Amino acid sequence: MKDIIYLDNAATTRMRPAVADAMLPFLTEEYGNPSAVYGLASKSRAAINKVRETIAGTLFARPEEIYFTAGGSEADNWALKAVFEANKDKGNHIITTKIEHHAVLYTCHYLESLGCEVTYLNVDENGRISMDELKRAIRPTTILISVMAANNEIGTLEPIKEIGEIAKKHKIYFHTDAVQAYGQIPISVEECHIDLLSASGHKLNGPKGVGFLYIRKGVKLTSFLHGGAQERGRRAGTENVPGIIGLGRAVELAFEDMEERRQRETELRDYLMEKVMAEIPYVRVNGDRINRLPNNVNFSFQFIEGESLLIMLDMKHICASSGSACTSGSLDPSHVLLAIGLPHEIAHGSLRLTLGYETTKEELDHTVEAIKEIVGKLRDMSPLYEDFIRKHSEREEQ
Ligand SMILES: *Cc1c(COP(=O)(O)O)cnc(C)c1O
């Protein structure tokens, strides 16, 4: 077994060795600026254009609709701010959900300060939006619907095809944050009527600090960065050539073995869920059981603090994530877990495990043993648990 058991692939992934290999020449000999005219530059230029074609092919889009960015957050910011800015004559209303990534949620809060009106859709107990609520939220001034393809905390997949159909029917732009979904499940921008789509390299075993925004031809939006003519004049700045090459290689590899990986990870995921449910009492699985990312498991353990569980897992060299935002200095549980209706105390005991292509069954067995031991210890120290057990046994006796 490896030194570290890495089960936080929704936070970031380890780069595949072949991705680093592909990047290396562009960090050394192939240093030409893609905008220059000489031969050295044309190699960089040709290489990034090939990546544009590769990515377009995976989405059923056109190469000129792919715009490289510095990651998923930038793509989300661009999509929302620039559509708002360019479509003020049509309206100022955006529809999104309560469970978006902060890159979308906080951008919406910012836009509200500029006079944008935002509807935050509710989700059901599995994290799915209601199509009826979406339809009711549409106004004559609605310019954009932004709903994530897959949630980063609980793994729930949203019905993007149905959302796209409604958006198209009402002539409203549809943006999807596909940072978690892209490379894990197939997405066609045609079939789902997607106008804008965000993705990120480091979530699919590629490099950090690079991603892209798909912008359907004809969508009205302002440029993100002003300056040079890069990215068809919409996102100035000399291209992150090594990053883009790495992204391209990561995308190729992710799509090459996507189906196989999906099956394998789904099996491991279900194995992990069932094993934990069978071996540890007072636990629930969060997120949709069927419409779910192949690699995501999210548990809530009653009577414990997720943060303590994380620290104790780390001592056993297991990397995981909790469902709360404690790490960012706040004691509030995650907005996603609250949106699916979990009470604070249950949300606080949450643990997210996200698998990767290298995850093995042996690692999961080891992890379940560790969780079982730690949860037991934490509960033994918990006055709430003691109280619960006492009341429970009193009831049994009556
Ligand atoms: C990670 C993530 C982002 C942010 O992407 P970065 O490349 O880290 O900026 C946005 N949305 C979702 C759903 C994510 O999981």
Side-chain angles (χ1 to χ4, degrees), residues 278-300:
E279 298 193 11
I280 305 175
Y282 312 118
V283 56
R284 56 163 279 152
V285 171
N286 299 313
D288 199 292
R289 292 299 283 265
I290 296 149
N291 300 298
R292 185 182 199 99
L293 282 177
N295 77 331
N296 172 293
V297 182
N298 189 308
F299 298 112
S300 291

Side-chain angles (χ1 to χ4, degrees), residues 71-73 76 101 148 152 177 179-180 200 202-203:
S73 299
D76 286 341
H101 188 273
M148 67 200 325
N152 47 302
D177 174 342
V179 173
Q180 289 293 334
S200 177
H202 75 106
K203 301 289 175 77

Side-chain angles (χ1 to χ4, degrees), residues 320-379:
S321 164
S322 79
S324 77
C326 291
T327 41
S328 58
S330 125
L331 283 173
D332 293 337
S334 119
H335 62 287
V336 177
L337 297 177
L338 295 182
I340 61 171
L342 293 194
H344 277 246
E345 67 276 16
I346 304 283
H348 268 303
S350 299
L351 177 74
R352 178 186 74 185
L353 301 171
T354 42
L355 322 185
Y357 77 96
E358 295 175 295
T359 306
T360 63
K361 193 165 167 220
E362 191 193 1
E363 287 180 316
L364 297 182
D365 286 335
H366 188 81
T367 303
V368 175
E369 280 314 307
I371 297 173
K372 202 164 136 182
E373 183 195 318
I374 297 167
V375 167
K377 270 190 198 158
L378 290 173
R379 282 180 178 163

